[in-house]
Amino acid sequence: MAFDPGQVSKASRFHALMRLVRIEHTLFSLPYAYVGAFLSGFKVTLWEIIWMSLALLGLRTAAMAYNNIADLDIDSQNRRTWNRPLIKGLVSVSDAWWLVVVGSSLYFVSAVLLNFWTAVLSPIPWVIAMTYSGAKKKHSFPHLHLGLTLALAVAGGTIAAGGDEANLLVLLEKVPWAFFFGVLFWVAGFDTIYAIMDYEFDVKHGVGSIPARFGINKALKIALLFHLTAIAFFGLALPLYGLGWVYLIGWLVGSALILYENLIVWRGLENVPKAFNLNIPIGLILTLSAIADVLIRLYGGG
């Protein structure tokens, strides 16, 4: 399969750098921080939105660049990843390291400017995000590691919005944990499906993944289990956070797309790229419907 979200076909250096860090995935991940802020019940200011956006942009840029560097030995042997910028030489390793430094700096500066608690806790998401590549070399469940990385954006949004108003225990209580675990298991599920494309390579080279450990058929069942768990957690957000019909519609549509993602892969493994691409609309539907529901309740008289 030729599909790879990090592949590059143009010679532009800027384009190659954007492909290296999957910039569109970063932009579409921003609503996870926003949903953590708006579902927390704290007042959210424009400056908090700006700084949490810059923090997430910096963190994902640094993590994506570093994981490409760390995976260079693997990607250079995997035919599916031969078109990635570092492999083709369109981005140098030193350029990638600069992205790590600049992205990390942007993340930590933004965390410090947000509030005390985001500054103190900022090393935790950074370490988790930067160690995803290493997880693939240590155990068979890096998909949960990746899920935790994105789920922490939800918790980060809550702490960014309320760090000036509450102590740490109150902040942790305010985190929309149903959404946190929904994101964790949803990401773990689609990353398990994505890893099927590298099944033979991972088995041969000892790269950790659920498909490599349990086989493709069991991996599909585990991915479905992850996704059913995610759907249940996303559904719990309805009563737990007092959400209404807007989120209900979003949850129903998002859940249907998650199930469809699994269905088309069960019908044929050639559909893995198509299934993977469904995740951007799924994430947007779930997060934006929740945020819209909160805003309608606050300002729409509902």
Side-chain angles (χ1 to χ4, degrees):
M1 297 182 185
F3 172 78
D4 176 29
Q7 68 183 2
V8 61
S9 57
K10 298 180 181 180
S12 164
R13 184 184 183 193
F14 177 78
H15 179 80
L17 288 170
M18 294 303 97
R19 295 274 27 86
L20 181 75
V21 298
R22 323 292 206 278
I23 189 63
E24 73 284 2
H25 289 192
T26 296
L27 296 176
F28 284 115
S29 69
L30 295 177
Y32 302 108
Y34 304 156
V35 82
F38 282 100
L39 290 184
S40 68
F42 292 117
K43 180 181 178 181
V44 184
T45 68
L46 177 60
W47 279 113
E48 287 167 346
I49 292 175
I50 290 172
W51 289 123
M52 72 174 75
S53 300
L54 291 175
L56 189 54
L57 175 64
L59 179 59
R60 281 187 59 87
T61 296
M64 292 301 301
Y66 176 74
N67 284 318
N68 271 273
I69 296 169
D71 284 345
L72 193 56
D73 58 332
I74 297 174
D75 291 342
S76 63
Q77 301 177 65
N78 188 344
R79 188 167 187 172
R80 183 180 65 80
T81 56
W82 282 353
N83 280 329
R84 289 188 173 178
L86 278 179
I87 305 301
K88 294 190 72 173
L90 297 175
V91 173
S92 67
V93 174
S94 61
D95 284 341
W97 274 115
W98 271 113
L99 285 175
V100 174
V101 173
V102 172
S104 297
S105 300
L106 178 61
Y107 168 67
F108 284 115
V109 168
S110 299
V112 169
L113 292 174
L114 269 164
N115 59 62
F116 172 78
W117 286 115
T118 51
V120 170
L121 298 173
S122 60
I124 297 174
W126 187 87
V127 169
I128 293 174
M130 300 292 278
T131 53
Y132 168 65
S133 179
K136 292 184 291 185
K137 300 171 184 178
K138 297 293 184 181
H139 58 77
S140 301
F141 301 94
H143 325 288
L144 290 167
H145 191 122
L146 184 64
L148 177 61
T149 301
L150 194 53
L152 283 171
V154 178
T158 298
I159 297 169
D164 287 328
E165 303 177 35
N167 61 44
L168 183 58
L169 289 179
V170 172
L171 289 173
L172 294 177
E173 289 175 359
K174 291 285 189 177
V175 172
W177 292 107
F179 229 95
F180 177 97
F181 286 108
V183 171
L184 192 159
F185 285 107
W186 166 56
V187 173
F190 75 64
D191 194 56
T192 299
I193 292 173
Y194 182 62
I196 289 173
M197 292 192 294
D198 291 329
Y199 167 71
E200 293 181 358
F201 179 87
D202 290 350
V203 170
K204 181 178 179 180
H205 292 85
V207 178
S209 74
I210 287 176
R213 173 73 177 272
F214 300 102
I216 292 176
N217 288 334
K218 287 184 178 179
L220 289 173
K221 295 176 182 177
I222 293 171
L224 178 59
L225 178 61
F226 283 158
H227 278 163
L228 290 174
T229 304
I231 289 171
F233 274 117
F234 285 133
L236 279 175
L238 271 161
L240 288 179
Y241 313 122
L243 298 172
W245 64 269
V246 175
Y247 179 68
L248 174 60
I249 294 173
W251 175 66
L252 290 173
V253 174
S255 299
L257 288 175
I258 290 173
L259 294 175
Y260 177 66
E261 176 181 353
N262 287 265
L263 176 62
I264 62 175
V265 175
W266 278 79
R267 287 179 174 176
L269 296 182
E270 69 276 5
N271 293 322
V272 169
K274 181 180 178 181
F276 184 82
N277 285 334
L278 285 171
N279 290 298
I280 286 180
I282 289 171
L284 289 176
I285 288 168
L286 289 167
T287 54
L288 296 182
S289 63
I291 294 169
D293 208 308
V294 172
L295 293 177
I296 289 171
R297 186 172 72 234
L298 289 175
Y299 303 110

